[in-house]
Amino acid sequence: MKQNIYDNPVFFEGYTSKRETGLTINDFVEQPSIKSLIPNLEGKTVLDLGCGAGGLTKYCADNGASKVVGIDISSNMINKAKHDNSHEKIEYICTAIEDLNLNEQTFDIIISSLAVHYVEDYPKLVENVRNLLKGNGLFIFSTEHPISTARRQLTRTSKNWITDDEGNRLHWAIDHYHEEGKRAFHWLVDGVVMYHRSLSTLINTLIENGLVLEKVLEPQSTPEGLEKIPKLINEQRRPSFIVIKSRKSN
Amino acid sequence: MKQNIYDNPVFFEGYTSKRETGLTINDFVEQPSIKSLIPNLEGKTVLDLGCGAGGLTKYCADNGASKVVGIDISSNMINKAKHDNSHEKIEYICTAIEDLNLNEQTFDIIISSLAVHYVEDYPKLVENVRNLLKGNGLFIFSTEHPISTARRQLTRTSKNWITDDEGNRLHWAIDHYHEEGKRAFHWLVDGVVMYHRSLSTLINTLIENGLVLEKVLEPQSTPEGLEKIPKLINEQRRPSFIVIKSRKSN
């Protein structure tokens, strides 16, 4: 079943009010990293998979893309994107990544910011991406790092940061690395589901589908982020995200 | 300074008597994995970086390579290789990987089994590999996984497996992921040094040197290994090694 947690009203409210502060890990760790991999967009067509409220979609349109299609499974999110981040070059479509059907349109660049870990069938996703890319096109995506998703949460309150009695973070716990699949946890609401995949699965699936790896990033915080959210220093201790740029070979 | 721990007599004795049992993690996890990435060797020239006692060097000669050069910094190891694993197609040379000078010889395939983590200057190593490879040649190597090397050992006895009072392994501890560099620990003797590098450093350095990624493995144990060494089941919980196959682009 395709997950649509962003249409849960409690989650949606909690998530959007958090993101709108502009003071999240996304703002200072993930977004600067994925943007650093996006090339000059002048005249390029872009597809944004799991566009959410359209922040990155709008960024692409503002930076010269000739056309941007943003898709998301959540109608809440698509409505918010249309309201907050509309642009004459952008078309927003409410659909699951897995169901995407764009009548043989192809794109110069496909981006996806922190959505791939919500998709159960990663090989199918990558196959779709390859078919939607023009020759020599780029697929640039960020996802939860396998180090971050590996350990099953044994109870709702268990955390992967192991702390001492005073709450100091001693280390990050890894386990179940090669048990790929569902990880359910509490994030604003119960039962948010992500899919854990090993690093080798993430990379080899791209290669097997004719995508050539160009860069892998495990981002840390920007200096501004460290100033505004001191705990982002912990990104040095273990990476939360991995960001991958690959190119379709001809 | 280049490390030559294998010429420490206590280490050498401990290491070789352990390896000679044929019952180590190398035999059932790392070796099957790196061998699975080595293509048909018929008529190929091979360079083995950090060949140790020559087991894998001999494997290449036995499997049809037209010529194999095995190099190692340890004269103990090279002497043992010449004694245990000589072959008319093999030349063993005692030198540090960093000092390698082969008078413009080039190779079809360069392999390296669990030696790269002893080398401080990884970019220089990869640059040398590129120069030593023929066009379209392969670089296939195994190294300690960043998950395995990340956490600094705070004391000589601290371990990265966190256990309960009965000694049960609760989880594997990660820390200091982005602090690349030296990790010293006790393995048979004090002060064995490895170099921790993040996954992105391992991969991007290859790409920046014109090597195209073909496969990444995070090996688990073979069924035989699980039978003979039950604790190898822990390789499912966190990977000890990463094995990477890349090809020089023309």
Coordinates of all heavy atoms in Angstrom, one line a residue, chain A residues 88-128:
Chain A
E88 N 4.5 30.2 -13.3 CA 3.9 29.8 -14.6 C 4.6 28.6 -15.2 O 4.0 28.0 -16.1 CB 4.0 31.1 -15.5 CG 5.5 31.6 -15.6 CD 5.7 32.7 -16.6 OE1 4.7 33.1 -17.2 OE2 6.8 33.2 -16.7
K89 N 5.8 28.3 -14.8 CA 6.5 27.2 -15.4 C 6.2 25.9 -14.7 O 6.7 24.8 -15.1 CB 8.0 27.4 -15.4 CG 8.5 28.7 -15.9 CD 8.6 28.7 -17.4 CE 9.3 29.9 -18.0 NZ 9.1 30.1 -19.4
I90 N 5.5 25.9 -13.6 CA 5.3 24.7 -12.8 C 3.9 24.1 -13.0 O 2.9 24.8 -13.0 CB 5.4 25.0 -11.3 CG1 6.8 25.5 -11.0 CG2 5.1 23.7 -10.5 CD1 7.1 25.8 -9.5
E91 N 3.9 22.8 -13.2 CA 2.6 22.0 -13.1 C 2.7 21.1 -11.9 O 3.6 20.3 -11.8 CB 2.4 21.2 -14.4 CG 1.1 20.4 -14.4 CD 1.1 19.5 -15.7 OE1 2.1 19.5 -16.5 OE2 0.0 18.9 -15.9
Y92 N 1.7 21.2 -11.0 CA 1.6 20.3 -9.9 C 0.6 19.2 -10.1 O -0.5 19.5 -10.5 CB 1.3 21.0 -8.6 CG 2.4 21.9 -8.0 CD1 2.3 23.3 -8.0 CD2 3.5 21.3 -7.5 CE1 3.3 24.1 -7.6 CE2 4.6 22.1 -7.0 CZ 4.4 23.5 -7.0 OH 5.5 24.3 -6.5
I93 N 1.0 17.9 -9.8 CA 0.1 16.8 -10.1 C 0.0 16.0 -8.8 O 1.0 15.6 -8.2 CB 0.5 15.9 -11.2 CG1 0.7 16.7 -12.5 CG2 -0.4 14.8 -11.5 CD1 1.4 16.0 -13.7
C94 N -1.2 15.6 -8.4 CA -1.4 14.8 -7.2 C -1.4 13.3 -7.6 O -2.4 12.8 -8.1 CB -2.6 15.1 -6.4 SG -2.8 14.2 -4.9
T95 N -0.3 12.6 -7.5 CA -0.3 11.2 -7.8 C 0.9 10.5 -7.0 O 1.8 11.2 -6.6 CB 0.0 11.0 -9.3 OG1 0.0 9.5 -9.6 CG2 1.3 11.6 -9.8
A96 N 0.8 9.2 -6.8 CA 1.9 8.5 -6.2 C 3.0 8.4 -7.2 O 2.8 8.2 -8.4 CB 1.4 7.1 -5.8
I97 N 4.3 8.4 -6.7 CA 5.4 8.2 -7.6 C 5.3 6.9 -8.4 O 5.6 6.8 -9.6 CB 6.7 8.2 -6.7 CG1 6.9 9.6 -6.1 CG2 7.9 7.8 -7.6 CD1 8.2 9.6 -5.2
E98 N 4.8 5.9 -7.7 CA 4.7 4.6 -8.3 C 3.7 4.5 -9.5 O 3.7 3.7 -10.3 CB 4.2 3.5 -7.3 CG 5.2 3.3 -6.1 CD 4.9 4.2 -4.9 OE1 4.4 5.3 -5.1 OE2 5.0 3.7 -3.8
D99 N 2.7 5.5 -9.4 CA 1.6 5.5 -10.4 C 1.8 6.5 -11.6 O 1.0 6.6 -12.4 CB 0.2 5.8 -9.8 CG -0.2 4.8 -8.7 OD1 0.3 3.6 -8.8 OD2 -0.9 5.1 -7.8
L100 N 3.0 7.1 -11.5 CA 3.2 8.2 -12.4 C 3.0 7.8 -13.9 O 3.6 6.8 -14.3 CB 4.6 8.7 -12.2 CG 5.0 10.0 -12.8 CD1 4.1 11.1 -12.3 CD2 6.5 10.3 -12.5
N101 N 2.2 8.6 -14.6 CA 2.0 8.3 -16.0 C 2.0 9.6 -16.7 O 1.0 10.4 -16.6 CB 0.7 7.5 -16.2 CG 0.5 7.2 -17.7 OD1 1.1 7.7 -18.6 ND2 -0.3 6.2 -17.9
L102 N 3.0 9.9 -17.4 CA 3.2 11.3 -18.0 C 3.1 11.2 -19.6 O 3.7 12.1 -20.2 CB 4.4 12.0 -17.5 CG 4.4 12.3 -16.1 CD1 5.8 12.8 -15.6 CD2 3.4 13.3 -15.7
N103 N 2.5 10.1 -20.1 CA 2.3 10.1 -21.6 C 3.6 10.3 -22.3 O 3.7 11.1 -23.2 CB 1.3 11.1 -22.1 CG -0.1 10.7 -21.7 OD1 -0.4 9.5 -21.8 ND2 -0.9 11.6 -21.3
E104 N 4.6 9.5 -21.9 CA 5.9 9.5 -22.6 C 6.6 10.9 -22.7 O 7.5 11.1 -23.5 CB 5.7 9.0 -24.1 CG 4.8 7.8 -24.1 CD 5.1 6.8 -25.2 OE1 5.9 7.2 -26.1 OE2 4.6 5.7 -25.1
Q105 N 6.2 11.8 -21.8 CA 7.1 13.0 -21.6 C 8.4 12.5 -21.0 O 8.5 11.6 -20.2 CB 6.5 13.9 -20.5 CG 5.5 14.9 -21.0 CD 5.1 15.8 -19.9 OE1 5.9 16.7 -19.5 NE2 3.9 15.7 -19.3
T106 N 9.5 13.1 -21.4 CA 10.8 12.9 -20.7 C 11.4 14.2 -20.3 O 11.0 15.3 -20.7 CB 11.8 12.1 -21.7 OG1 11.9 12.9 -22.9 CG2 11.3 10.7 -22.0
F107 N 12.4 14.0 -19.3 CA 12.9 15.2 -18.7 C 14.5 15.2 -18.7 O 15.1 14.2 -18.8 CB 12.5 15.2 -17.2 CG 11.0 15.3 -17.0 CD1 10.2 14.2 -17.1 CD2 10.4 16.6 -16.8 CE1 8.8 14.3 -17.0 CE2 9.0 16.7 -16.7 CZ 8.2 15.5 -16.8
D108 N 15.0 16.4 -18.6 CA 16.5 16.6 -18.6 C 17.0 16.2 -17.2 O 18.1 15.7 -17.0 CB 16.9 18.0 -18.8 CG 16.6 18.5 -20.3 OD1 17.0 17.8 -21.2 OD2 15.9 19.5 -20.4
I109 N 16.2 16.5 -16.2 CA 16.6 16.3 -14.8 C 15.4 15.8 -13.9 O 14.3 16.4 -14.0 CB 17.2 17.6 -14.2 CG1 18.4 18.2 -15.0 CG2 17.6 17.5 -12.7 CD1 18.8 19.6 -14.6
I110 N 15.7 14.8 -13.1 CA 14.7 14.4 -12.2 C 15.3 14.6 -10.8 O 16.4 14.1 -10.5 CB 14.3 12.9 -12.4 CG1 13.6 12.8 -13.8 CG2 13.3 12.4 -11.3 CD1 13.1 11.4 -14.1
I111 N 14.6 15.3 -9.9 CA 15.0 15.5 -8.6 C 14.0 14.8 -7.6 O 12.8 14.7 -7.9 CB 15.2 17.0 -8.2 CG1 13.9 17.7 -8.4 CG2 16.3 17.6 -9.1 CD1 14.0 19.2 -7.9
S112 N 14.5 14.5 -6.4 CA 13.6 14.0 -5.4 C 14.2 14.2 -4.0 O 15.3 13.7 -3.7 CB 13.3 12.5 -5.6 OG 12.5 12.0 -4.6
S113 N 13.5 15.0 -3.2 CA 14.1 15.4 -1.9 C 13.3 14.7 -0.8 O 12.2 14.9 -0.6 CB 13.9 16.9 -1.7 OG 14.1 17.3 -0.4
L114 N 14.1 13.8 -0.2 CA 13.5 13.0 1.0 C 12.2 12.4 0.8 O 11.3 12.5 1.6 CB 13.5 14.0 2.2 CG 14.9 14.5 2.6 CD1 14.8 15.4 3.9 CD2 15.9 13.4 2.9
A115 N 12.0 11.7 -0.4 CA 10.8 11.0 -0.6 C 11.0 9.5 -0.9 O 10.2 8.7 -0.7 CB 10.1 11.7 -1.8
V116 N 12.2 9.2 -1.4 CA 12.5 7.8 -1.9 C 12.3 6.8 -0.7 O 11.9 5.7 -1.0 CB 13.9 7.8 -2.5 CG1 14.4 6.4 -2.6 CG2 13.9 8.5 -3.8
H117 N 12.6 7.2 0.5 CA 12.5 6.3 1.6 C 11.0 6.0 2.0 O 10.8 5.1 2.8 CB 13.2 6.8 2.9 CG 13.0 8.2 3.2 ND1 13.9 9.2 3.0 CD2 11.9 8.8 3.7 CE1 13.3 10.4 3.4 NE2 12.1 10.1 3.8
Y118 N 10.1 6.7 1.4 CA 8.7 6.4 1.6 C 8.2 5.3 0.5 O 7.0 4.9 0.6 CB 7.8 7.6 1.5 CG 8.0 8.6 2.6 CD1 8.2 9.9 2.3 CD2 7.9 8.2 3.9 CE1 8.4 10.9 3.3 CE2 8.1 9.1 5.0 CZ 8.3 10.5 4.6 OH 8.5 11.4 5.7
V119 N 9.0 5.1 -0.5 CA 8.6 4.2 -1.6 C 9.0 2.8 -1.3 O 10.2 2.5 -1.1 CB 9.1 4.7 -2.9 CG1 8.8 3.8 -4.0 CG2 8.6 6.1 -3.2
E120 N 8.1 1.8 -1.4 CA 8.4 0.4 -1.0 C 9.2 -0.2 -2.2 O 10.2 -0.9 -1.9 CB 7.1 -0.4 -0.8 CG 7.4 -1.8 -0.4 CD 6.2 -2.5 0.2 OE1 5.1 -2.0 0.0 OE2 6.4 -3.6 0.8
D121 N 8.8 0.0 -3.4 CA 9.4 -0.7 -4.5 C 10.5 0.2 -5.2 O 10.2 0.9 -6.2 CB 8.4 -1.1 -5.5 CG 8.9 -2.1 -6.6 OD1 10.1 -2.2 -6.7 OD2 8.1 -2.8 -7.2
Y122 N 11.7 0.2 -4.6 CA 12.8 1.1 -5.1 C 13.2 0.7 -6.5 O 13.4 1.6 -7.4 CB 13.9 1.0 -4.1 CG 15.2 1.8 -4.5 CD1 15.1 3.2 -4.6 CD2 16.4 1.1 -4.8 CE1 16.3 3.9 -4.9 CE2 17.5 1.9 -5.1 CZ 17.5 3.2 -5.2 OH 18.6 3.9 -5.5
P123 N 13.4 -0.6 -6.9 CA 13.8 -1.0 -8.2 C 12.8 -0.5 -9.3 O 13.2 0.0 -10.3 CB 13.8 -2.5 -8.2 CG 14.1 -2.9 -6.8 CD 13.3 -1.8 -6.0
K124 N 11.5 -0.5 -9.0 CA 10.5 0.0 -9.9 C 10.6 1.5 -10.0 O 10.5 2.0 -11.1 CB 9.1 -0.4 -9.3 CG 7.9 0.1 -10.2 CD 7.8 -0.8 -11.4 CE 6.7 -0.2 -12.3 NZ 6.9 -0.6 -13.7
L125 N 10.8 2.2 -8.9 CA 11.0 3.6 -9.0 C 12.2 4.0 -9.9 O 12.1 4.9 -10.7 CB 11.3 4.1 -7.5 CG 11.9 5.6 -7.4 CD1 10.8 6.6 -7.8 CD2 12.4 5.8 -6.1
V126 N 13.3 3.3 -9.7 CA 14.5 3.6 -10.5 C 14.3 3.3 -12.0 O 14.7 4.1 -12.9 CB 15.7 2.9 -10.0 CG1 17.0 3.2 -10.9 CG2 16.0 3.3 -8.5
E127 N 13.5 2.2 -12.3 CA 13.2 1.9 -13.6 C 12.3 3.0 -14.2 O 12.6 3.4 -15.4 CB 12.4 0.6 -13.6 CG 12.3 -0.1 -15.0 CD 11.3 -1.3 -15.0 OE1 11.4 -2.0 -14.0 OE2 10.5 -1.4 -15.9
N128 N 11.4 3.5 -13.5 CA 10.5 4.6 -14.0 C 11.4 5.8 -14.2 O 11.2 6.5 -15.2 CB 9.5 5.0 -12.9 CG 8.3 4.0 -12.9 OD1 8.2 3.1 -13.8 ND2 7.5 4.1 -11.9

